[in-house]
Amino acid sequence: MTQGPEATGNPTGDELLTVGAASSLIGVSVRTLHHWDHIGLVSPSGRTSTGYRLYSADDVARIHRVLLYRELGFSLTEVGEILDDPSVNESAHLERQRELLAERIDHLQQMVCAVDQMMERKP
């Protein structure tokens, strides 16, 4: 298992990423990962002897799921509840969010058409 601060790349198998490497790979700030660790949303699988956070492939997968739910409009509290509650039907949540997104897209498309019509009427 790679456990030094020099760990880089996409974690596979036993490889672990430092918080900096994980944040670069995923596209979130180190501060965000520290905050999520502090609130218990995404805790790293390990630490180096000097205290560096180390993220596994499973940790990275959880971070991606957090980002997906955040993009869908869930609060961090809701995301944590969805990911940590074994009785929650994650598929049902995703299906409902997909429906809401499709409705939002439809509404935005209607707004674009309305703006296009207004632009056509302008001299």
Side-chain angles (χ1 to χ4, degrees):
M1 203 176 278
T2 305
Q3 291 196 358
E6 68 283 347
T8 59
N10 192 7
T12 56
D14 291 339
E15 184 181 358
L16 296 173
L17 299 177
T18 63
V19 68
S23 73
S24 293
L25 174 70
I26 298 160
V28 298
S29 69
V30 169
R31 184 175 180 193
T32 295
L33 293 178
H34 285 181
H35 175 66
W36 290 355
D37 181 18
H38 178 73
I39 65 173
L41 183 61
V42 179
S43 297
S45 291
R47 292 199 183 249
T48 66
S49 59
T50 56
Y52 284 96
R53 291 168 174 86
L54 295 172
Y55 291 86
S56 68
D58 287 341
D59 299 334
V60 170
R62 183 175 173 98
I63 293 167
H64 282 295
R65 291 168 69 202
V66 169
L67 292 173
L68 170 67
Y69 282 114
R70 290 294 292 144
E71 185 67 27
L72 294 173
F74 287 93
S75 71
L76 291 178
T77 301
E78 291 170 320
V79 172
E81 290 170 359
I82 291 168
L83 296 180
D84 293 335
D85 186 346
S87 69
V88 168
N89 183 338
E90 195 171 346
S91 294
H93 277 284
L94 289 172
E95 284 179 35
R96 178 65 183 135
Q97 288 308 307
R98 187 185 188 293
E99 291 170 12
L100 293 172
L101 287 169
E103 289 172 12
R104 190 180 322 165
I105 290 167
D106 184 51
H107 176 73
L108 290 172
Q109 287 176 331
Q110 291 173 16
M111 290 178 66
V112 167
C113 288
V115 169
D116 287 344
Q117 290 173 358
M118 290 172 62
M119 290 172 53
E120 290 172 4
R121 292 184 190 140
K122 285 278 185 181

